[in-house]
Amino acid sequence: MSRKPMVRPGGRSARVQESVHAAVRALEAEVGREALTVPLIAARAGVTPSTIYRRWGDLHELLSDVAVERLRPDSPPEDRGELAEDLSVWAEQFLEEMAAQPGRAYIRDALLGDDTNAGRCSAYAAEQISVILARAAERGERAPDVETVVDHVVAPMMYRILFRPEGLEAAYARRLVAELLG
Amino acid sequence: MSRKPMVRPGGRSARVQESVHAAVRALEAEVGREALTVPLIAARAGVTPSTIYRRWGDLHELLSDVAVERLRPDSPPEDRGELAEDLSVWAEQFLEEMAAQPGRAYIRDALLGDDTNAGRCSAYAAEQISVILARAAERGERAPDVETVVDHVVAPMMYRILFRPEGLEAAYARRLVAELLG
């Protein structure tokens, strides 16, 4: 369904992506998400609407792509010197960000796009977890594999964020990690 | 956000819901989901567009409501006389239905509505699991509680359906149940 390439583009293509993404973010803040249209975004970004349709297919795909970029972690996970602590801190932060209103809106937008977008969100979490597990392995700590952490920590948090967002607290994230490692 | 009442309505209200839902399902099959509009649905259902707007707020909420109804289980879970088997059979069927293209589309639609709709989806799964666990308790089998089954069986399946749908097989559902009970 998506017309965008699988790899991140360079050159003119990268500039188009950057200006279109920036236009979406600016207009969302100014006029609200419901008022966004492809012609409005194109005008702000200085491209033609057909450039956007060619690259993203439709407005949903574009919003989904922008949402996924916003969910991209901007730094590696904290290193506190111990697996249980590293994973707990990461899980708490993940829950806090994703359960907040903007996080939930980005996740829903990401899910509206094609599967590649949802897959990128999941890959971001898996990459952060891999870094934590690799550090644990270097320290000689016993550690589960990434998929096990996804099933036991990421999936329950994301399920509750999407389907039962009430009453989610940091203690829930910590408990999931403790049950997995303990 | 949603204008619909929390309880299922009766009388005229129930007839309106039924005819509007039926119109959505029929038109989706005939003209496709992208072509649906509130006036089109209203005309088919024999109500005014303002009836739909008053009751559901907008098209997204209506589609979300219809999707949730389609996700409602139409029978209690199978009773095979043993917890591990009952839960495995239920999990396999849940995964098969939800991971298929219509199931995934309904889940995405359900998530587009307000939180009540996503909560109803989750409640359907929790109710089915409760039936299975109550039977196990009657037999004198040791059984986890519903929330534990949600975290360890439902959440991983739903996470992968939404974020990483490729390669999901019945064996994955069975493994989640075996790990929880074993």
Side-chain angles (χ1 to χ4, degrees), chain B residues 99-118:
Chain B
Q101 212 45 56
R104 295 182 59 214
Y106 301 152
I107 296 167
R108 284 173 195 225
D109 274 347
L111 288 173
L112 278 188
D114 70 3
D115 287 342
T116 316
N117 288 343

Side-chain angles (χ1 to χ4, degrees), chain B residues 79-87 132-144 181:
Chain B
D79 186 350
R80 303 236 179 149
E82 200 226 328
L83 173 60
E85 185 63 13
D86 284 2
L87 209 49
I132 291 170
L133 298 179
R135 284 181 193 147
E138 274 171 37
R139 288 184 209 115
E141 290 182 280
R142 266 189 56 177
L181 300 180

